[in-house]
Amino acid sequence: MKSSSIRLGVDIGGTFTDVVLEKQGRQYSTKVLTTYAAPETAIIDGMQQVCAKADIVPADIEQIIHGTTLATNALIERRGAKTALITTEGFRDVIEMRTESRFEQYDLNLNLPEPLLPRQMRFTVPERVNAKGDIMVALERSDVEAIVDRIAETGVESIAVGLIHSYLNDSHERLIREVLAARLPEVMVSISSEVSPQMREYERFNTVVANAYIKPLMKSYLGRLEARLQDEGVRCNIFLMHSGGGIISIDNAADFPVRLVESGPAGGAVFAAHIAARYALDKVLSFDMGGTTAKICLIKHQTPKTARVFEVARTYRFKKGSGMPISIPVIDMVEIGAGGGSLAHVDAMGQIRVGPESAGSEPGPACYGRGGERPGVTDADLVLGKLDPDNFAGGSIKLYPDASGTALIQHIGQSLEMEATEAAFGVAEVVDENMANAARVHAVENGEDLSEYTMIAFGGAAPLHAGRLCEKLGVRRLLVPPGAGVGSAIGFLRAPFSFEANRSVYMKLSDFNPEQIQSLLTDLKSEATGFVRSCDPDANILAEFKVYMRYTGQGWEIPIQLSESQAMNPNAETFQARFEEDYTKLFGRPVAGMDVEITVWSVNATTPPESVAPVETSQGDMAAQLNGTRQLFDAARRSFLDTHVIERSSLQSGQRAHGPAVLTEAETTIIVPASRDAIRQPDGCIDIVIKD
């Protein structure tokens, strides 16, 4: 896409919908409240606003890239279509039995998430494929027809098909789809060998069920969005951000909506990686905090860490294994229910708790004046002086400090004998410590020391809390880029077209088969490249190769990156050396005398990353121009301090603002603690560093 083209990035969040228009190198952005009943309405509203700012009409837009939380919310809130599952006889209850692991070992009343489908909506057929892909029990068409006739009586809208070992041999799943197309042509069908062709039946079945469950909802939404945009005169291509950090066509998104589950956060990670490249930073902690959730991601060598399984709808907020696993390529991040709208309460032990429940945009926190009566994080920020009640969201939303104070006293203060300020301080410290704990755990799990990292903060609420988070984590440097309040939407415009194809084929290094590996990786490369070509037929496409390896007998694998030469000219010694190198980085040493096995093969086809101009940083030798003062509560000093207020747009390159300071702009507010200074860098980034 030409740099001179007019492009629109849209991110639907739980509270705000962010819209960014890029025209001739300039960006125009806005935040509008998300409209839950018809999310496309907020998009049209935001699009009209940014078009007016850029002095164009919607028909001038040449490309739209969109990310959304709709898929995630549908899974969490169980608002999907009426769905059935067809699986192998004897495996009807896999999605209910899970893996039988206990994520909370001593809890006798363990609360597991209910499967998406009740037992009566799960059907079986007599067939069996073994772990080598050989057919042991052939599937008869008549048996499929009998099951389909039974399913037809239930009035389903969507059907998931997940058979044992179909990732090795998909002939039976394709036969079932053929019968469904003939007998129930109006019903949508998802088959696991296309949605998630990987081993581990629980994760694979759960993923194909999730895809089928949200497919009608997402197809309907995307269809409505296309129609509304056409009514506005927009005729350009629409693409969607997927969870792996790339862009796919709207048709692919409608077929595989489960790949959109983490699309918004993925855009944020791409945005942070782009900033990291500008500053030549090899170790970055991406911190994205919006109205509903906070997302933390490790970015090394300007590339976000990726995974192939993640969880949604956890019943225990910080407990792995307590949610629904989705087995798709995804940017690896930790996500917690801590956003501006996250609601605070006092639990039975007399402790302040924040989230995961959020006020969202309807009714919003108490300070919005829209009927919300419970205090959210935004209410605490307002009482502590972090927000200007008359200039929130560029003045488009008036805030009511008295309502915040009343809500904090009623729901926090009365129980704990606190005034409004003390209650607000408690709420802010709890939410900041929750995020700090999540970052520490994520870093430890990946063998990283956060003191070596630079934080990049974006999202409407992140710059309000990032300075305090750096103090808690021992992070010495914080960057808040231009457009931070709409960072994920900008990230969509920086993302490449990409698609990752995976397949499970089990192989030990002692049984290494170079010819089979070459054939497998060639097929995966062709599949992934085909998806990217559907978005941009003339694109220059790069291929990235990865294998998942472990010692024989271990329960989980680690991803091993291979060069194209290593992948297409496979050698057992090279694979062994690469595995031991990465295994040692994670666990300290290799294990001598054990065979190594490969379980999953992956090829990611992607267009080249956007070229980045390096930034020559300034040391901040000039004093910033001040626009006034106000009282701001500094958490580290536990008191209100006289604080400089500075319009971000008034800061010139090389100017330094001494903390405590408040830097204001339309889409967010940057809080500079008393322990730090802020320097305006040549590209507009605010560089927050420890005082000399």
Side-chain angles (χ1 to χ4, degrees), residues 170-185:
D170 64 355
S171 59
H172 287 176
E173 286 195 351
R174 287 189 286 107
L175 172 59
I176 293 173
R177 181 168 60 183
E178 184 182 313
V179 174
L180 286 168
R183 294 194 168 230
L184 297 174

Side-chain angles (χ1 to χ4, degrees), residues 38-51:
E40 63 274 15
T41 299
I43 293 177
I44 300 302
D45 183 14
M47 180 184 69
Q48 291 171 340
Q49 290 185 34
V50 293
C51 284

Side-chain angles (χ1 to χ4, degrees), residues 589-611:
R589 63 178 180 85
V591 181
M594 290 192 69
D595 202 356
V596 176
E597 55 195 21
I598 306 169
T599 60
V600 178
W601 311 75
S602 165
V603 178
N604 182 48
T606 178
T607 53
E610 183 178 303
S611 59

Side-chain angles (χ1 to χ4, degrees), residues 438-550:
R440 291 185 193 106
V441 170
H442 192 51
V444 168
E445 288 176 344
N446 288 278
E448 297 295 330
D449 178 3
L450 287 181
S451 66
E452 301 172 357
Y453 275 67
T454 297
M455 181 182 289
I456 296 178
F458 53 93
L464 291 161
H465 294 261
R468 179 58 175 157
L469 207 56
C470 286
E471 290 181 332
K472 287 178 174 288
L473 294 171
V475 172
R476 300 183 61 83
R477 187 183 188 190
L478 163 66
L479 289 173
V480 183
V486 291
S488 289
I490 296 174
F492 299 162
L493 301 177
R494 304 280 84 82
F497 293 107
S498 75
F499 192 89
E500 184 172 329
N502 292 314
R503 196 168 302 164
S504 286
V505 176
Y506 177 83
M507 183 183 296
K508 290 185 178 182
L509 290 189
S510 57
D511 299 322
F512 201 77
N513 187 330
E515 292 77 16
Q516 183 184 2
I517 293 170
Q518 279 184 327
S519 175
L520 172 61
L521 292 178
T522 299
D523 288 347
L524 289 174
K525 181 180 177 181
S526 176
E527 177 187 339
T529 302
F531 273 95
V532 178
R533 287 265 179 253
S534 70
C535 298
D536 187 349
D538 302 320
N540 175 28
I541 299 177
L542 308 176
E544 300 168 348
F545 298 83
K546 194 183 298 179
V547 291
Y548 290 80
M549 304 174 71
R550 66 188 182 189

